[in-house]
């Protein structure tokens, strides 16, 4: 703890009486909330009650939001059925194309891409029955 001296101490007095006051702890820095449009297509929307477009606001958290954390949030908050058809481990299943602002997520850093306010994240299933 960092302290500062306010006045000359008297002999045999306690820390508070010595005038040693603790500095207030630095406020924990939180990442700001992030507003996004999250879209599902190619049949993936069926796992989300048939809703293709979702306007979401991700809450403040200690670390900046990335795609890895977004996928966890989607699984908890939007995904309605059969998570195994959308996710594999902490990523999307093979066969789901992910676009961030119309660019392939592989060019953007995949799971590590730091989300920005007003980003558009699109998940398109390329897997179809026959």
């Amino acid at each position: 703890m960092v302290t500062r001296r306010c006045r000359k101490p008297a002999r045999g007095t306690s820390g508070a009486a010595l005038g040693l006051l603790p500095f207030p702890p630095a406020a924990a820095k939180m990442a700001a909330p992030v507003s996004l449009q999250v879209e599902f297509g190619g049949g993936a929307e069926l796992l989300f009650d048939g809703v293709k477009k979702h306007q979401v606001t991700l809450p403040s958290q200690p670390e900046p939001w990335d795609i890895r954390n977004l996928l966890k949030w989607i699984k908890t908050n939007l995904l309605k059925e059969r998570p195994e058809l959308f996710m594999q481990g902490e990523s999307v299943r093979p066969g789901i194309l992910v676009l961030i602002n119309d660019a392939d997520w592989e060019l953007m850093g995949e799971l590590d891409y730091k989300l920005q306010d007003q980003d558009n994240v699109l998940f398109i299933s390329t897997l179809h029955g026959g």
Side-chain angles (χ1 to χ4, degrees), residues 40-48 50 52 85 123-128:
F40 303 96
E45 69 276 6
L46 299 174
L47 303 173
F48 299 88
K52 288 189 174 198
L85 294 179
F123 299 91
I124 301 172
S125 176
T126 63
L127 305 174
H128 303 283

Side-chain angles (χ1 to χ4, degrees), residues 29-61:
K29 185 156 181 141
M30 298 287 283
V34 178
S35 292
L36 307 170
Q37 180 163 294
V38 179
E39 297 183 65
F40 303 96
E45 69 276 6
L46 299 174
L47 303 173
F48 299 88
D49 273 349
V51 180
K52 288 189 174 198
K53 292 185 180 185
H54 300 260
Q55 192 65 44
V56 301
T57 300
L58 304 173
S60 294
Q61 66 174 21

Side-chain angles (χ1 to χ4, degrees), residues 50-106:
V51 180
K52 288 189 174 198
K53 292 185 180 185
H54 300 260
Q55 192 65 44
V56 301
T57 300
L58 304 173
S60 294
Q61 66 174 21
E63 298 296 321
W65 281 94
D66 57 20
I67 295 291
R68 179 178 286 107
N69 290 326
L70 173 65
L71 287 171
K72 292 176 190 173
W73 187 92
I74 287 172
K75 184 177 180 182
T76 301
N77 296 283
L78 296 180
L79 189 59
K80 301 299 181 190
E81 57 183 84
R82 310 222 22 217
E84 70 277 6
L85 294 179
F86 183 70
M87 296 191 65
Q88 184 173 1
E90 65 178 15
S91 189
V92 293
R93 287 187 58 81
I96 296 187
L97 177 64
V98 182
L99 300 176
I100 302 168
N101 302 322
D102 297 324
D104 190 328
W105 78 323
E106 292 178 0

Side-chain angles (χ1 to χ4, degrees), residues 1-6 15-16 18-24:
M1 178 185 307
V2 178
T3 57
R4 58 188 165 107
R5 181 165 257 154
C6 294
L18 288 175
L20 299 176
L21 303 174
F23 281 115

